[in-house]
Amino acid sequence: MTLKFIDTRGLDSSRPTFSEVLLRGIADGGGLYLPENLPTFSMDQMDTLHSANYAQRGAFIYDAFGIDIKAADTLRMMQKAYGNQFDDHRIAPVVSLDEDTHMLELWHGPTSAFKDMALQCMPRFFSFSLKRGLANGSLSRDLLILVATSGDTGSAALAGFAHRSHTNLIVFYPDGGVSDVQRTQMTSSLGMNVGVYGVKGNFDDCQRAVKEAFFNEDLQKWLKDHTDLQLSSANSINWGRLMPQIIYYFSAIIDLRAAGKLADGQLLDIAVPTGNFGNIMAGWLAKQMGAPIGRLICASNENNVLADFINTGVYDIRGRDFYMTASPAMDILVSSNLERLLYFLAGPERTRKWMKQLREEGVFEVDAGTLSLIQQDFAADYVDNATSLSVIQDCWKRYHYLIEPHTAIALHAAEKHRGEGNTNKDKANPMMIVSTAHWAKFGPNVLRGLLGIPHDEELTTPYNEMTGFELLRAIRRLAPEAAHVPNRLSSLEGACERYQKVIPATEGCINSQIARWVEARTETH
Ligand SMILES: *Cc1c(COP(=O)(O)O)cnc(C)c1O
């Protein structure tokens, strides 16, 4: 049976298939797509997958959903998505810090952060679906994807979409708002189908201008009349971004069970550094699909709207300051994927009402029944900047394992909530921390952590004179046993930054830059 999709607000009756959902992104009426039903796996099935590699595990899970893509095509794309562009053949290895504390390392991909787990996979399925649609006449245009990024998403999207057929990608990042390593990752991108521009202003300015451009009718008309392109967004609310993230939760559990670290009848608690609620939502879906998961610990930084929501049932963004923290990928006020959880626990009518309240009043409160369901599966906490940096030092001293600020937040929340949701009174559930970035992507704050310098203070001499790449070498001298820098990051030093242009954060400037990029591309075709 081919899987059909529903939407979280119950307003889209079109029941699209997987490949249709990939290309559409958001549902009519503004809801998010979800599969009509979830497959479930028995413990035996999971254990059997131990002899399968990561790509095979992924293909097995995708096939079980009943997607409208043939098993052989799915397997081929999974093998490409999770192949030797990862620097560990296990793709998402689990590393044990001690008997009951495990790290799920999601940063072995081409840009050294967890966005690769979805963005190495999704663009292949996206491009495949597009090609099929063009061939059978249901689609007539190539797509132009616009992305505004605070750092990690841009580089991972470039790595995922570069050279993919029928898709084009333009990335806008806040000039001065991303690290040297992140900027160089983006500006040195190759691929005729991509473009990268700095925007004057912070991430919010950048995102707003790109969003306005996306909905600008003149730009859409110009593209329609003068090009073969149509705008598209492949952002993190796309189901195609969420689904690959289910794979690594199963994969980790398969590995932990095979290693004797998760016994029959035991549940695994998992702490996730959370921003848009995508990663942790995939963990919750894995639990619904039979994975032996106990509690999911939602770890936030000082932008703690989500942690407050899980603890009180009130989601309130009124009068909230937006903090720039040491964990910028989690600096977010509206966590879009939460809507998917609300749908599962409360149904489409209530979800629709709450989302309307959030949009119009900046606040909603769930009923007591829904809150209690949420709290059965989730715990939540937030960690301030100072603590997140001190955890980097503690973890280094205790385990000789180097982490970056996002992962540090999850580790701290994990220690605080360990044992709370125990199934077995005498022994705490084993804990897995989801590690979302390699430490070298956040060098300056890792160094602050190791040296005990506060987040908002300048680095001291000689560090304040160093480039981002020199800082990585300094960290390696401080922590020589652990601080390996992946070659794909160190080799960016001195790379040709092909994209140098910085434009003002206005809709008009973004529009005209898009038009110029499209014209230049057409000329070289
Ligand atoms: C994107 C990101 C997160 C947040 O993940 P969500 O799925 O948005 O909750 C956490 N850590 C890092 C390093 C990220 O890039």
Side-chain angles (χ1 to χ4, degrees), residues 124 254-255 363 386 432 441 445:
R124 291 186 157 81
I254 291 164
D255 289 344
V363 60
M432 183 169 82
K441 281 205 82 171
N445 282 322

Side-chain angles (χ1 to χ4, degrees), residues 144 170 197 219 222-223 226-229 512-524:
L144 172 59
I170 306 182
Y197 302 99
L219 177 66
W222 181 82
L223 287 170
H226 298 276
T227 75
D228 60 343
L229 297 174
S512 66
Q513 189 56 58
I514 293 168
R516 275 208 217 159
W517 182 87
V518 170
E519 279 170 347
R521 163 187 168 275
T522 318
E523 277 160 25
T524 53

Side-chain angles (χ1 to χ4, degrees), residues 74-333:
T74 298
L75 181 60
R76 182 177 46 76
M77 286 190 273
M78 285 290 176
Q79 279 163 341
K80 292 256 170 64
Y82 302 113
N84 58 14
Q85 73 274 44
F86 282 72
D87 67 8
D88 188 304
H89 71 277
R90 296 167 296 175
I91 308 298
V94 183
V95 170
S96 298
L97 298 185
D98 61 30
E99 200 185 329
D100 280 324
T101 312
H102 313 288
M103 285 281 174
L104 173 58
E105 296 183 345
L106 298 183
W107 37 257
H108 289 279
T111 73
S112 300
F114 115 94
K115 302 282 189 298
D116 286 331
M117 300 306 299
L119 282 166
Q120 283 300 301
C121 180
M122 183 269 196
R124 291 186 157 81
F125 285 85
F126 189 85
S127 171
F128 178 90
S129 306
L130 189 52
K131 213 180 297 179
R132 198 164 63 177
L134 291 166
N136 71 20
S138 60
L139 297 168
S140 58
R141 287 170 172 263
D142 285 6
L143 296 184
L144 172 59
I145 298 162
L146 304 181
V147 168
T149 181
S150 57
D152 278 358
T153 304
S155 50
L158 287 161
F161 279 103
H163 315 294
R164 293 271 92 74
S165 57
H166 305 292
T167 60
N168 301 276
L169 170 70
I170 306 182
V171 170
F172 298 92
Y173 67 91
D175 181 47
V178 302
S179 72
D180 286 355
V181 173
Q182 285 177 323
R183 190 197 60 248
T184 314
Q185 275 185 321
M186 292 188 274
T187 56
S188 64
S189 292
L190 299 175
M192 292 301 296
N193 64 333
V194 304
V196 180
Y197 302 99
V199 170
K200 288 184 195 132
N202 60 29
F203 173 58
D204 253 8
D205 304 325
C206 178
Q207 190 168 41
R208 193 174 326 109
V210 172
K211 218 178 229 172
E212 284 167 4
F214 188 84
F215 290 107
N216 182 294
E217 285 173 12
D218 293 340
L219 177 66
Q220 288 175 2
K221 183 168 183 323
W222 181 82
L223 287 170
K224 189 158 178 275
D225 295 346
H226 298 276
T227 75
D228 60 343
L229 297 174
Q230 176 185 333
L231 291 178
S232 167
S233 79
N235 57 20
S236 68
I237 52 146
N238 192 306
W239 172 257
R241 286 272 301 269
L242 194 59
M243 191 154 141
Q245 300 181 1
I246 297 171
I247 305 167
Y248 50 73
Y249 286 100
F250 276 104
S251 180
I253 280 163
I254 291 164
D255 289 344
L256 283 170
R257 283 177 58 83
K261 292 171 179 171
L262 184 66
D264 278 333
Q266 242 185 346
L267 298 179
L268 180 69
D269 287 347
I270 305 179
V272 186
T274 296
N276 208 20
F277 208 73
N279 196 350
I280 199 167
M281 184 64 205
W284 187 85
L285 289 167
K287 179 173 176 172
Q288 308 315 302
M289 292 163 63
I293 293 172
R295 287 184 114 195
L296 291 155
I297 299 161
C298 172
S300 304
N301 63 25
E302 284 157 343
N303 296 295
N304 58 352
V305 188
L306 198 51
D308 282 354
F309 169 70
I310 291 171
N311 286 315
T312 65
V314 183
Y315 199 100
D316 189 353
I317 58 172
R318 292 170 305 178
R320 285 261 180 184
D321 287 327
F322 179 83
Y323 298 104
M324 309 268 278
T325 71
S327 42
M330 296 155 67
D331 289 345
I332 190 162
L333 292 180

Side-chain angles (χ1 to χ4, degrees), residues 388-404:
S388 74
L389 296 192
S390 73
V391 169
I392 292 174
Q393 194 179 72
D394 294 346
C395 180
W396 164 245
K397 284 188 179 148
R398 191 155 155 213
Y399 299 116
H400 268 220
Y401 183 84
L402 199 55
I403 56 176
E404 51 73 50

